[in-house]
Amino acid sequence: MNKSVKMLLAGAAIIAMSASAFARGGEDCGYMGRGPMMGMNPGRMEKMHAQHLAKLHDKLKLTPQQETAWKKFAASEPMRGKLDRPDPAEMEKLNAPQRLEKALEHMRTMEAKMTEHLKALKEFYAVLTPEQQKTFDDQMPGFGERHGPRGGRK
């Protein structure tokens, strides 16, 4: 499978997990105060993401002709900024079908953002040299790969 398809599948998996959290009214969701993301805040995550992009930009050694595609790719990040998640207090007022409808609405929004991001990624990837493509592939997480202190790159 090529990397674009893997990234799209990873995004779909994230969206599916978000839907199950919404269906439960936000219980055990990292941003709600419990779960694996408990210590992360959106500001810190945004800063880490910006650092990752800066390192990737430096490693790719982009030419001036490639910068426009890079800027479009970097700006298209689907998880960037506020995700407009429903308020947990409001979700608690809804019944299960209504919560799932909200989750489905959120998934559709995320799918549209992922589609835009995939388009920008393909445009950017097409202007890279084969060596830059390999660097990009090595630096961008793919579907099912673990990064960080617990997993290392597999």
Side-chain angles (χ1 to χ4, degrees), residues 11-27 29 32 83-87 90-92 94-112:
I14 291 169
I15 291 168
M17 288 185 288
S18 296
S20 67
F22 286 132
R24 292 189 314 267
E27 291 179 22
C29 184
M32 305 299 178
L83 296 178
D84 295 325
R85 291 182 176 161
D87 178 26
E90 292 297 317
M91 290 295 280
E92 286 179 17
L94 303 176
N95 63 32
Q98 291 169 329
R99 286 193 305 259
L100 195 54
E101 284 175 357
K102 285 278 191 190
L104 187 57
E105 181 182 313
H106 179 72
M107 284 178 57
R108 288 183 179 135
T109 301
M110 291 305 298
E111 180 183 18

Side-chain angles (χ1 to χ4, degrees), residues 53-131:
L53 281 179
K55 287 179 186 177
L56 178 61
H57 182 273
D58 292 345
K59 286 182 182 183
L60 289 172
K61 300 175 186 156
L62 298 173
T63 65
Q65 295 82 9
Q66 295 170 322
E67 284 295 329
T68 301
W70 167 262
K71 288 176 183 171
K72 186 174 179 181
F73 162 72
S76 74
E77 180 61 41
M79 304 304 245
R80 188 176 210 146
K82 186 175 182 245
L83 296 178
D84 295 325
R85 291 182 176 161
D87 178 26
E90 292 297 317
M91 290 295 280
E92 286 179 17
K93 296 175 185 175
L94 303 176
N95 63 32
Q98 291 169 329
R99 286 193 305 259
L100 195 54
E101 284 175 357
K102 285 278 191 190
L104 187 57
E105 181 182 313
H106 179 72
M107 284 178 57
R108 288 183 179 135
T109 301
M110 291 305 298
E111 180 183 18
K113 289 180 180 183
M114 288 291 290
T115 300
E116 288 177 30
H117 183 60
L118 176 60
K119 181 181 176 193
L121 184 146
K122 285 181 176 182
E123 289 174 11
F124 174 63
Y125 199 83
V127 301
L128 297 177
T129 66
E131 182 178 304

